[in-house]
Amino acid sequence: MKKYYERYKHAIPLIIYGIIYLTWFSYLERTVTHPSRIIHVWLDDYIPFCEIFVIPYFLWFAYVSVVVLYCFFKNKPEYVNTCIFLFTGMTVFLVISTLWPNGHHLRSYNMPRENIFTGMIAHLYRIDTPTNLWPSIHVYNSIGAHLAVMHDQKLAANKPVQIGSLILCVSIILSTVFIKQHSMFDVLTAFIMAGIMYAVLNAPSGTSTTSALTSFIQFWNNTDFLSVLKNGDGLTTDTSTPPGASRLYAARI
């Protein structure tokens, strides 16, 4: 049991954050029913409704999950970097949605036609309110997942995987506006936030940002989370750089 815990203890922050995020997001979905800020830009009026894009929209859940799980089992440094990227953007989204409740009026009350795809969208509309939209986490996390694929050495050498990931990432991003789940404003701001986070995670060595992130990653890798949960103890004093490190590790620091 101890062996498995040591091997997979890096899942604990992901589980804890998942619980926090889902609890917070569920609260917002219940309480933000009449948002004071309606998001709309002129580009939204020129984007057609295209129901087939509901397929990549739903594939987002599998796409991000599979990439995170792959990194979890195969590339721990990239897993940590990906989690930092995703957690930061998702937290920014939650804070924005809490302080500035937002929504849109892009959805049609009636579907333009009846088929299996519009049926799926109608179901989505029933379970997902047109609130808490900015920036688009569908867009942001898709970018994060594709960046993880590109930074993994094995996946980077696999051209079909790289191309497939890019096509799926782009399709998911397009789906958010084609099925009227998001405004172009949500999409563009998600790109901006992703660009900022990518720059932070790839900051030149020696900067305060890189040092802070490196310290956090070493904390993540060296903490005995089980002991912390039990009695508040378990921090190690080993601050050596983990072997096989990626962007924020020995190669650049």
Side-chain angles (χ1 to χ4, degrees), residues 114-200:
E114 292 186 9
N115 54 53
I116 187 172
F117 304 119
T118 56
M120 293 170 66
I121 293 174
H123 175 70
L124 174 64
Y125 286 179
R126 285 194 295 270
I127 64 175
D128 187 20
T129 64
T131 58
N132 311 312
L133 308 165
W134 167 47
S136 170
I137 292 303
H138 254 68
V139 172
Y140 180 85
N141 282 6
S142 295
I143 295 171
H146 184 62
L147 289 174
V149 171
M150 291 194 302
H151 282 98
D152 181 83
Q153 191 171 10
K154 290 182 179 179
L155 296 181
N158 190 323
K159 287 298 181 183
V161 170
Q162 287 280 304
I163 295 172
S165 175
L166 178 60
I167 291 173
L168 184 54
C169 177
V170 172
S171 298
I172 292 170
I173 293 170
L174 292 175
S175 76
T176 62
V177 292
F178 279 136
I179 67 170
K180 304 303 177 181
Q181 279 290 92
H182 284 281
S183 163
M184 276 299 297
F185 180 80
D186 308 326
V187 174
L188 295 175
T189 50
F191 267 94
I192 293 170
M193 185 166 69
I196 292 172
M197 272 308 299
Y198 183 79
V200 169

Side-chain angles (χ1 to χ4, degrees), residues 32-46:
V32 181
T33 56
H34 296 88
S36 57
R37 292 165 179 82
I38 301 302
I39 296 174
H40 179 269
V41 294
W42 64 270
L43 283 172
D44 297 331
D45 300 329
Y46 294 91

